[in-house]
Amino acid sequence: MPSRLPRRASSPPALPALDLALQGGGSHGAFTWGVLDRLLEDLPARLDGVSGTSAGALNAAVLATGLAQGGPERAREALRAFWADVARAGDCFGRPDADERAPRPGLALDPVWTAPMMGWWQAWLRLFSPSQLNPWGLNPLRDIVERHVDVQALREGPLQVFVTATAVHTGQPRVFDRHDLSIDALMASACLPHLFPAVMIDGEPYWDGGYSGNPALWPLIYQTSATDVMLVKINPLVRAATPTSVLEIADRASEITFNAALVGEMRAIAFVRRLLAEERLPSDRYKSLRLHMIADEKVLAGLPASTKLSTDAAQMERLFDAGRAAAAAWLARHRGDLGRRNTLDVEAAFLSPRRATDAA
């Protein structure tokens, strides 16, 4: 009897390449930390690039550092250590009551932070520029970033990182990548101009990247090979209540501004995808993206925008839990869709966000 030939071991199918786009939103970036923590457990894709702005840029930099140092598990440890350090540092964004407090139920700020006195405090701060209140440009966040980010890993590691800051003189976005990423670039991306002096890079001043790209998607389109992009959205597009106080109006105006660039890019992407589907554009010259999104509009819209300035540890842990839950829910529904089909209805989520919120 002829002997059976040994079966050749079949190689596992190649994982689809995936890019991440991480929004900024102050300490609400802890939600993104939770999303990344869950994805890193068993993501059915190979991470290719990540674009981040402000808190999204910091999450991206710590993620890339951890991946370069020891893979997904090390990246999870690095992210947890970073956010724990932020919580220990206290509130470095102008809050006058940074003493420790016992954990509180729910995602809410201390009563003093939402009381009229806080509105007066914030209004008083706006009478002065950061150069007047902080002439030395002190920023405790910089020390934290320097402890947790390896710039060499950003420039030479396996994950391509793109960080957006806004040029003060022109209002245009500048995207830092492997060639020029630095601690200064990260601080520029997270530089809120009413809190900190502009960050100088190459003789030019920069402010928070949220004004021009939150996050910028076009670097992922032009500089990576992945055609799947996962947006982690933390800034609500819709808030049901009409703001009435000075602080509420300022918060909502800032939120609208920080969403505008992303909405514009999503409109452009939807338009190009429609033209490609109608064969009115050459498919070999235009990238047809498969878009995905992890968000929790109800949880994050339930928080005042001013909570983005709180570094309360209990709040950040609850946001982390909410992010993990949102990522787990997405994986349960769409794990098999990566590399195969689009799961984000751009028109519902960005062109008719009220409809998307009502359906959620």
Side-chain angles (χ1 to χ4, degrees):
M1 178 182 296
S3 60
R4 288 186 179 178
L5 294 174
R7 291 186 178 180
R8 181 177 298 174
S10 58
S11 58
L15 294 176
L18 175 67
D19 287 339
L20 299 174
L22 310 181
Q23 266 201 323
S27 61
H28 288 190
F31 177 90
T32 302
W33 161 37
V35 170
L36 296 175
D37 187 78
R38 181 64 185 87
L39 292 180
L40 288 166
E41 281 186 340
D42 60 350
L43 180 66
R46 171 180 57 83
L47 293 181
D48 188 10
V50 55
S51 178
T53 294
S54 197
L58 303 184
N59 272 320
V62 176
L63 169 67
T65 296
L67 288 175
Q69 292 175 345
E73 195 57 38
R74 175 68 188 103
R76 294 178 67 200
E77 294 170 358
L79 285 161
R80 175 163 286 280
F82 169 76
W83 283 98
D85 209 355
V86 170
R88 280 193 299 269
D91 213 309
C92 54
F93 299 105
R95 177 178 169 184
D97 60 318
D99 56 310
E100 293 186 4
R101 289 173 172 74
R104 295 170 300 282
L107 287 169
L109 285 168
D110 303 327
V112 67
W113 186 236
T114 54
M117 183 175 293
M118 180 48 58
W120 301 334
W121 171 260
Q122 291 288 83
W124 181 82
L125 285 178
R126 293 176 193 274
L127 295 176
F128 303 92
S129 73
S131 297
Q132 293 171 301
L133 291 174
N134 184 11
W136 299 279
L138 300 177
N139 188 342
L141 182 60
R142 185 185 186 94
D143 295 334
I144 297 173
V145 173
E146 289 177 340
R147 286 196 292 270
H148 294 274
V149 173
D150 180 352
V151 173
Q152 184 176 357
L154 303 187
R155 295 188 175 187
E156 302 175 6
L159 186 63
Q160 299 184 75
V161 180
F162 305 95
V163 168
T164 303
T166 303
V168 176
H169 291 164
T170 65
Q172 295 300 308
R174 175 172 173 180
V175 176
F176 299 86
D177 58 18
R178 289 190 187 277
H179 300 98
D180 52 11
L181 269 169
S182 63
I183 298 298
D184 280 341
L186 293 170
M187 300 313 300
S189 184
C191 178
L192 290 171
H194 60 283
L195 297 178
F196 303 111
V199 176
M200 300 297 295
I201 301 176
D202 301 329
E204 294 291 329
Y206 290 91
W207 283 342
D208 196 293
Y211 294 108
S212 55
N214 192 19
L217 300 180
W218 53 268
L220 302 176
I221 297 173
Y222 293 110
Q223 299 187 48
T224 77
S225 60
T227 53
D228 283 75
V229 176
M230 172 74 75
L231 169 66
V232 182
K233 186 174 75 66
I234 60 176
N235 284 323
L237 290 170
V238 176
R239 286 191 181 271
T242 302
T244 54
S245 72
V246 172
L247 184 58
E248 290 171 344
I249 292 169
D251 282 345
R252 184 55 181 155
S254 176
E255 203 166 56
I256 291 170
T257 300
F258 275 46
N259 276 325
L262 176 63
V263 172
E265 280 199 271
M266 283 294 185
R267 288 179 183 273
I269 289 172
F271 181 63
V272 170
R273 291 187 65 219
R274 190 179 308 120
L275 293 180
L276 285 169
E278 296 170 357
E279 299 183 345
R280 296 168 63 186
L281 286 177
S283 59
D284 59 339
R285 292 183 57 192
Y286 292 88
K287 197 174 182 180
S288 183
L289 297 178
R290 289 184 290 268
L291 296 174
H292 317 279
M293 183 172 74
I294 295 177
D296 193 327
E297 190 88 6
K298 290 182 178 178
V299 165
L300 291 163
L303 297 171
S306 53
T307 59
K308 296 173 183 177
L309 303 182
S310 171
T311 55
D312 176 69
Q315 173 180 282
M316 288 193 289
E317 283 289 343
R318 291 184 174 88
L319 280 165
F320 166 80
D321 291 340
R324 273 190 61 90
W330 189 92
L331 286 170
R333 292 193 303 269
H334 300 300
R335 175 185 296 272
D337 293 326
L338 286 174
R340 299 177 60 192
R341 61 177 63 88
N342 194 72
T343 65
L344 172 63
D345 185 340
V346 174
E347 292 195 0
F350 290 91
L351 309 188
S352 304
R354 172 69 70 179
R355 179 158 56 91
T357 303
D358 293 340

